[in-house]
């Protein structure tokens, strides 16, 4: 596997683990934040809302080179997970989880573009699959590991590990991911030109 794909897979691992680890450590975070478990479920929802809103980064950051976007996403992931680890109350953890979710969807869109660009001819799909493997590994290993940390050590340790991993991924991206020109700018209106066709409206309906 190319080093550039390993760097992208590392980023996918961070976001995959950050998304789902909360489900395994919910009782401990609820107790620490002095809320009941149903209320603590908002810590999961906050991440999901961040994912939805964060996709707009690709609309307004369309002129930024993909490599720089990936680095920015990892910095946001570092900040969000670090704030999660040191949250002192429920509102702070909600905000931290929202921040953690912001780069999720935009990352995978950008990482897919990079993976296809650096792939050998005819192996674009394989390259994208290699990048997405990071999230698969997160679900298989990262999330259970975070649950074990919460059970036997501290739920905060899971987020500390994720924040450190995000920082490490920044350096991997700087070292291994090549500079790639941003996609052709079609303007803000051009980002939504697909809505002029009936297909998307039928799907939404």
């Amino acid at each position: 596997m190319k080093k550039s794909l390993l760097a992208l897979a590392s980023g996918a691992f961070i976001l995959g683990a950050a998304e789902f680890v909360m489900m395994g450590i919910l009782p401990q975070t609820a107790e620490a934040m002095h809320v009941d478990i149903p209320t603590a479920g908002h810590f999961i929802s906050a991440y999901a809302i961040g994912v939805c809103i964060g996709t707009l980064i690709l609309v307004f950051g369309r002129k930024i080179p993909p490599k720089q976007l990936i680095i920015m996403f990892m910095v946001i992931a570092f900040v969000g997970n670090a704030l999660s680890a040191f949250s002192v109350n429920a509102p702070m953890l909600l905000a931290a989880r929202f921040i953690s979710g912001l780069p999720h969807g935009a990352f995978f869109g950008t990482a897919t573009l990079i993976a296809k660009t650096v792939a050998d001819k005819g192996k674009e799909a394989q390259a994208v699959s290699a990048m997405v493997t990071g999230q698969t590994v997160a679900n298989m290993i990262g999330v259970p590991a975070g649950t074990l940390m919460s059970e036997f050590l501290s739920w905060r340790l899971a987020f500390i590990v994720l924040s450190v991993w995000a920082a490490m991924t920044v350096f991997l991206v700087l070292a291994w991911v090549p500079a790639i020109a941003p996609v052709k700018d079609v303007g803000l209106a051009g980002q939504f030109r697909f809505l002029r066709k009936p297909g998307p409206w039928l799907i939404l309906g």
Side-chain angles (χ1 to χ4, degrees), residues 186-201:
V186 295
L188 185 58
Q191 300 291 322
F192 300 95
R193 65 181 183 276
F194 66 93
L195 294 177
R196 300 170 189 170
K197 300 179 180 180
W201 291 108

Side-chain angles (χ1 to χ4, degrees), residues 1-203:
M1 183 187 295
K2 292 185 176 182
K3 290 182 178 181
S4 54
L5 296 178
L6 283 173
L8 296 175
S10 179
F13 176 89
I14 292 294
L15 296 171
E19 178 181 14
F20 294 111
V21 72
M22 181 58 73
M23 300 175 188
I25 65 177
L26 204 60
Q28 291 84 358
T29 54
E31 181 179 1
M33 298 295 106
H34 306 293
V35 296
D36 55 28
I37 291 180
T39 302
H42 295 314
F43 301 146
I44 298 173
S45 302
Y47 188 99
I49 294 171
V51 173
C52 295
I53 295 176
T55 55
L56 294 175
I57 296 174
L58 292 185
V59 176
F60 298 103
R62 61 189 183 275
K63 296 182 181 180
I64 302 176
K67 180 176 180 176
Q68 293 183 22
L69 282 174
I70 293 293
I71 293 171
M72 180 177 70
F73 297 150
M74 288 298 99
V75 170
I76 296 173
F78 168 79
V79 172
N81 285 295
L83 288 174
S84 296
F86 296 103
S87 292
V88 296
N89 53 45
M92 182 176 177
L93 185 54
L94 277 173
R97 291 290 293 165
F98 173 79
I99 293 171
S100 297
L102 287 173
H104 192 110
F107 170 89
F108 282 98
T110 306
T112 297
L113 172 64
I114 296 175
K116 290 174 63 179
T117 303
V118 302
D120 296 330
K121 186 176 181 180
K123 294 186 177 181
E124 291 84 359
Q126 182 178 339
V128 174
S129 297
M131 178 273 293
V132 177
T133 298
Q135 178 152 356
T136 303
V137 174
N139 290 334
M140 295 176 61
I141 300 176
V143 173
T147 304
L148 284 173
M149 289 179 190
S150 178
E151 188 71 26
F152 295 105
L153 297 170
S154 170
W155 64 270
R156 297 179 188 274
L157 183 59
F159 291 114
I160 291 174
V161 171
L162 288 175
S163 62
V164 172
W165 198 303
M168 177 194 70
T169 303
V170 170
F171 291 101
L172 294 182
V173 172
L174 285 170
W176 292 346
V177 175
I180 296 172
V183 295
K184 182 180 179 181
D185 185 16
V186 295
L188 185 58
Q191 300 291 322
F192 300 95
R193 65 181 183 276
F194 66 93
L195 294 177
R196 300 170 189 170
K197 300 179 180 180
W201 291 108
L202 290 173
I203 293 172

